[in-house]
Amino acid sequence: MQTELIWIDREHMSLHIHKMEQAGKILRGGGLVAFPTETVYGLGADALNEEAARKIYEAKGRPSDNPLIVHIADPEALDGIVESVPEKAAALAAAFWPGPLTMIFHKKECVPYGTTGGLSTVAVRMPSDEIARELIRQGGGYVAAPSANVSGRPSPTTAQHVYEDMAGRIPMILDGGPVPIGLESTIVDLTGERPVILRPGYITLDMVRSVTGEVEVDQGLIAEDSSVRPKAPGMKYRHYAPKADLQIVEGPMEQVISYINEQCAAPGKTGVICTEETREHYHAGDVKCIGSRRDELSIASHLFAILREFDEDQVDRIYSESFDTPGIGQAVMNRLLKAAGHRKIDVS
Ligand code: AMP
Ligand code: MG
């Protein structure tokens, strides 16, 4: 299959309406289209068409028990696919939609189990990206879209990343440039008495709490004990695994730097993930600067691209500083720990 990569200028969407219509037609015909969102690139299919959803699993090599998030373009679309909208969900939607927040509801019958991985609940998000929303409208209003990477690889933050993984597997990729956030959406389950965070993201625990009051965090996310199963089926898989062994190094910065410099002296090719503030202190290895500690979002938005670069550079092992900041740092560390298979060392 030939994969068409189409540039869409978001400032002048009307110039590309013909291409957007073409993309919508592919979706309505049961095909796949990759597209930008503010979090990461998504791989879209008609969420109400079981056969189309199946194609997503096939293209990604995704385990079939890992449910898909359904994307909508307008808040009114929510009622079409969920049994009811609890008050707290309506408040969260008013506060954070369109945006990087996914909510779990009881599904209506029209949502096939092929989309929800066999669950009677459905995850829904209304993205803010204008290309995404136009595509969703053109595609029939309900677009199931996981991240557009091959399962197990870092999520794509540019159309080029999507092309690397999906060329030959899907007919079309819409290129809207690099995404602004770079980590997947925050997932909040609203089917129980209290909201529960199933996956951390740009919308932090405090932001959710400021709208809903009491919030819980899924034990499967925070427990050191890996026998505690996360409630979001996808969170149990080791995602974002770079080809090299990755280890996170924690402790006072001076000790972290000296430990990593020592490791770089060992034979083999070593990768280092550091920040603008520490860059000058590393003298060996394949050193990549992820962003600035003064700008948390810069760290989030570069993480996946850096993991992909290390794959290209064919390093043997990677050492990363820790980025445990109070805001989006929680989501960054969740992804980094998964990429590291939870290997971290404290050098204090
Ligand atoms: P991705 O689309 O690749 O960002 O992955 C979607 C994430 O949402 C996975 O971790 C899924 O397990 C989770 N998810 C989707 N639907 C549900 C649901 N109904 N209940 C719990 N988690 C869900
Ligand atoms: Mg994913």
Side-chain angles (χ1 to χ4, degrees):
M1 183 186 293
Q2 191 89 352
T3 302
E4 220 186 328
L5 183 60
I6 296 172
W7 168 252
I8 305 284
D9 181 353
R10 62 184 68 245
E11 305 301 326
H12 303 98
M13 283 264 284
S14 56
L15 297 177
H16 300 274
I17 203 67
H18 175 64
K19 284 295 179 193
M20 297 298 298
E21 283 168 3
Q22 203 185 327
K25 205 168 152 198
I26 295 177
L27 291 180
R28 278 181 279 114
L32 305 184
V33 176
F35 60 97
T37 80
E38 67 276 22
T39 58
V40 301
Y41 272 75
L43 180 59
D46 179 354
L48 306 186
N49 175 342
E50 190 144 40
E51 175 57 18
R54 194 193 54 73
K55 287 186 190 163
I56 290 182
Y57 290 93
E58 192 180 287
K60 281 180 61 84
R62 182 175 173 107
S64 62
D65 70 343
N66 188 359
L68 308 174
I69 295 172
V70 179
H71 292 69
I72 57 175
D74 303 284
E76 301 75 45
L78 184 59
D79 283 332
I81 52 171
V82 308
E83 277 297 330
S84 65
V85 180
E87 230 171 81
K88 286 180 179 171
L92 284 171
F96 302 120
W97 278 3
L101 176 75
T102 296
M103 289 189 274
I104 313 283
F105 301 91
H106 291 291
K107 77 174 190 73
K108 271 195 174 149
E109 221 175 290
C110 62
V111 184
Y113 284 109
T115 296
T116 65
L119 299 174
S120 59
T121 53
V122 61
V124 188
R125 173 160 100 90
M126 177 172 148
S128 63
D129 186 293
E130 284 302 331
I131 299 174
R133 281 164 74 195
E134 182 56 29
L135 177 70
I136 295 163
R137 290 189 192 107
Q138 296 284 352
Y142 298 103
V143 173
S147 47
N149 52 290
V150 164
S151 240
R153 294 214 71 203
S155 296
T157 54
T158 65
Q160 200 49 45
H161 295 159
V162 180
Y163 194 82
E164 281 166 22
D165 283 15
M166 291 295 154
R169 299 184 190 213
I170 63 174
M172 190 180 278
I173 301 169
L174 301 180
D175 182 354
V179 301
I181 294 178
L183 295 180
E184 305 85 345
S185 58
T186 305
I187 303 180
V188 184
D189 184 357
L190 286 136
T191 59
E193 214 169 284
R194 276 189 221 114
V196 185
I197 296 195
L198 305 188
R199 177 171 76 184
Y202 179 82
I203 307 290
T204 60
L205 176 69
D206 283 343
M207 288 159 85
V208 174
R209 189 184 284 130
S210 71
V211 173
T212 63
E214 262 180 313
V215 188
E216 287 173 13
V217 176
D218 180 26
Q219 284 305 308
L221 282 184
I222 41 187
E224 295 281 330
D225 173 4
S226 62
S227 68
V228 183
R229 250 181 183 240
K231 243 189 117 189
M235 297 298 281
K236 70 176 178 285
Y237 294 107
R238 179 175 173 200
H239 281 61
Y240 329 117
K243 290 175 188 152
D245 280 344
L246 169 63
Q247 187 164 58
I248 300 164
V249 187
E250 291 179 327
M253 201 40 77
E254 234 169 81
Q255 274 150 269
V256 168
I257 291 167
S258 97
Y259 176 85
I260 293 179
N261 273 325
E262 273 166 36
Q263 305 310 308
C264 287
K269 194 168 175 187
T270 307
V272 178
I273 304 179
C274 69
T275 55
E276 276 170 27
E277 288 79 6
T278 54
R279 172 71 188 84
E280 62 180 338
H281 301 294
Y282 294 102
H283 311 298
D286 183 357
V287 183
K288 294 192 195 296
C289 177
I290 193 171
S292 165
R293 286 183 187 273
R294 289 187 299 272
D295 177 9
E296 281 194 302
L297 198 52
S298 69
I299 294 177
S301 65
H302 293 130
L303 175 64
F304 289 144
I306 279 192
L307 294 179
R308 280 179 182 256
E309 280 174 32
F310 278 127
D311 279 354
E312 270 165 40
D313 295 356
Q314 300 191 327
V315 297
D316 301 305
R317 50 187 188 274
I318 306 166
Y319 293 91
S320 177
E321 293 175 6
S322 176
F323 311 104
D324 207 355
T325 50
I328 198 171
Q330 297 302 302
V332 171
M333 287 313 288
N334 168 267
R335 308 311 193 269
L336 195 58
L337 276 162
K338 280 178 153 231
H342 286 266
R343 265 168 320 145
K344 57 181 176 181
I345 177 165
D346 190 339
V347 291
S348 55

